[in-house]
Amino acid sequence: MKELVQNSRNSLLFYVNGNEIIESNAEPDWTLLWYLRNKLNLTGSKLGCGAGGCGACTVLISHCTDRYSGKIEHYTANACLAPLCSVDGCHVITVEGLGSVKNSNIHPVQSRLAEMFGTQCGFCTPGIIMSLYETVSMDDNNESPIMQDIEEAFDGHLCRCTGYRSILDAAKTFATDVDKYISIRESSTSKITSTTFDKCISYSSSILEWYRPISLDELLSLRHSYPGSASKLVFGNTAVQIERKFKHIQHHRLISITHIDELQQLKRTPNSYIIGAGITFTRLQSKLYEWKKEVNSDGGICEALIDQLKHFASAQIRNVASFGGCIVNASPM
């Protein structure tokens, strides 16, 4: 255990809106939203419910999912739940990173909502813009969104002004299956960095320690050193953060398991489906659609799981929550 800590890094390195951020004094209990608003003065992302339910804090995160191929994954997430430590090596885009009137570089997603009166008080608008941006700009298969894609992307947002109709009307002009379709697909010019896989990172404060092992051996070593309640495994933090905020449960040592290759298996054999505990629901959903299209695939099982996932949580939660973690915690989302 001492050897692991000695070989670890003591600073975070990530990017926000194309700017390199090196944070040497990170507190493991800081959330990404707190850091954006209080340290970087990026107040566009709003603190609403603080529980991942309203979507006002939504940001776009890009990170490397495969250290060998360099594949980059882009997804929206609730910044109020995401630990700052979890974005080490990632690129974060906030609403300020898309464009602004001040800089005369407003993004088409922003202008479309404004032109079609898709805002009322504006509090929830930044998060909605980020979800729409991810939907129309970040499809790995270069497929333009349809109306259903846009509706599903908004399932993690609440507009307390009840302005849903104008928001959806504006958003759906980006869809391919409506008469008002306008093709907008801009390539991102923001600098993206791949996740730092090289070391087990560790950070500590007076009340909390954070570890992110990069191998199964390191994970087992950490759990051996801190067994039982001495440490808590965390993936998307969608349950642990809720426990902290509402149940006042304080875990003094968190072990993030997002970088363990053995937990990322996702494959099909003639007689079974192998789903790693660290697979997010979004990745699982995408793979199920792929399997469903394959010849001789058991469409019944895939169809049933796809249908079930549509009713589980929201897009932002599905993007970061792990399959195994939600089963272990019997998540009610």
Side-chain angles (χ1 to χ4, degrees), residues 262-291:
E262 288 85 349
L263 302 182
Q264 298 295 316
Q265 295 189 56
L266 188 56
K267 58 184 180 181
R268 181 173 59 87
T269 71
N271 301 312
S272 64
Y273 292 88
I274 300 174
I275 303 172
I279 294 296
T280 64
F281 285 91
T282 296
R283 287 186 62 196
L284 175 59
Q285 190 175 42
S286 176
K287 182 59 71 172
L288 288 172
Y289 277 114
E290 180 183 319
W291 286 337

Side-chain angles (χ1 to χ4, degrees), residues 33-69:
L33 181 63
W34 185 91
Y35 190 84
L36 291 173
R37 293 179 59 84
N38 294 279
K39 291 292 188 177
L40 301 183
N41 199 32
L42 295 173
T43 56
S45 303
K46 298 298 189 285
L47 174 59
C49 66
C54 71
C57 64
T58 300
V59 297
L60 184 79
I61 299 177
S62 301
H63 81 113
C64 182
T65 59
D66 190 322
R67 74 185 76 178
Y68 305 108
S69 69

Side-chain angles (χ1 to χ4, degrees), residues 52-306:
C54 71
C57 64
T58 300
V59 297
L60 184 79
I61 299 177
S62 301
H63 81 113
C64 182
T65 59
D66 190 322
R67 74 185 76 178
Y68 305 108
S69 69
K71 178 179 173 58
I72 302 295
E73 181 180 62
H74 313 279
Y75 60 88
T76 52
N78 296 113
C80 73
L81 295 179
L84 178 65
C85 292
S86 71
V87 299
D88 178 64
C90 297
H91 182 222
V92 179
I93 299 180
T94 70
V95 69
E96 292 93 342
L98 295 193
S100 68
V101 174
K102 178 181 178 181
N103 296 326
S104 301
N105 64 341
I106 189 169
H107 191 275
V109 166
Q110 296 168 307
S111 62
R112 193 69 55 81
L113 256 70
E115 291 165 0
M116 298 189 67
F117 308 101
T119 64
Q120 290 193 34
C121 81
F123 189 85
C124 66
T125 306
I128 289 173
I129 285 174
M130 295 310 299
S131 285
L132 182 56
Y133 172 69
E134 188 267 346
T135 303
V136 303
S137 303
M138 295 296 173
D139 192 290
D140 291 336
N141 298 317
N142 294 318
E143 296 179 357
S144 298
I146 60 175
M147 293 171 62
Q148 182 179 345
D149 295 328
I150 291 172
E151 288 184 0
E152 291 179 354
F154 285 167
D155 67 357
H157 293 279
L158 295 176
C159 174
R160 289 181 170 84
C161 297
T162 66
Y164 294 114
R165 177 50 52 202
S166 57
I167 292 171
L168 285 173
D169 285 345
K172 287 179 179 178
T173 61
F174 289 93
T176 58
D177 54 351
V178 292
D179 294 336
K180 294 180 180 179
Y181 169 66
I182 299 176
S183 180
I184 296 178
R185 180 170 297 280
E186 296 187 349
S187 60
S188 175
T189 58
S190 300
K191 186 177 181 181
I192 297 176
T193 181
S194 61
T195 305
T196 49
F197 288 105
D198 58 332
K199 293 181 182 297
C200 168
I201 65 172
S202 63
Y203 305 95
S204 63
S205 66
S206 59
I207 61 173
L208 181 63
E209 294 178 9
W210 170 281
Y211 297 93
R212 190 205 65 192
I214 62 169
S215 70
L216 186 58
D217 287 341
E218 289 180 346
L219 171 59
L220 295 176
S221 177
L222 283 166
R223 281 294 289 171
H224 178 75
S225 299
Y226 306 116
S229 60
S231 63
K232 176 76 171 181
L233 299 183
V234 61
F235 193 91
N237 206 43
T238 55
V240 174
Q241 181 67 10
I242 299 300
E243 292 177 347
R244 283 188 66 231
K245 183 177 179 65
F246 296 105
K247 297 182 180 180
H248 306 291
I249 298 175
Q250 185 59 260
H251 301 288
H252 298 292
R253 194 171 289 105
L254 297 179
I255 302 176
S256 172
I257 57 174
T258 56
H259 288 54
I260 309 299
D261 287 342
E262 288 85 349
L263 302 182
Q264 298 295 316
Q265 295 189 56
L266 188 56
K267 58 184 180 181
R268 181 173 59 87
T269 71
N271 301 312
S272 64
Y273 292 88
I274 300 174
I275 303 172
I279 294 296
T280 64
F281 285 91
T282 296
R283 287 186 62 196
L284 175 59
Q285 190 175 42
S286 176
K287 182 59 71 172
L288 288 172
Y289 277 114
E290 180 183 319
W291 286 337
K292 181 183 174 183
K293 295 178 181 179
E294 292 179 354
V295 179
N296 298 324
S297 175
D298 191 340
I301 294 177
C302 292
E303 186 69 43
L305 289 174
I306 290 170

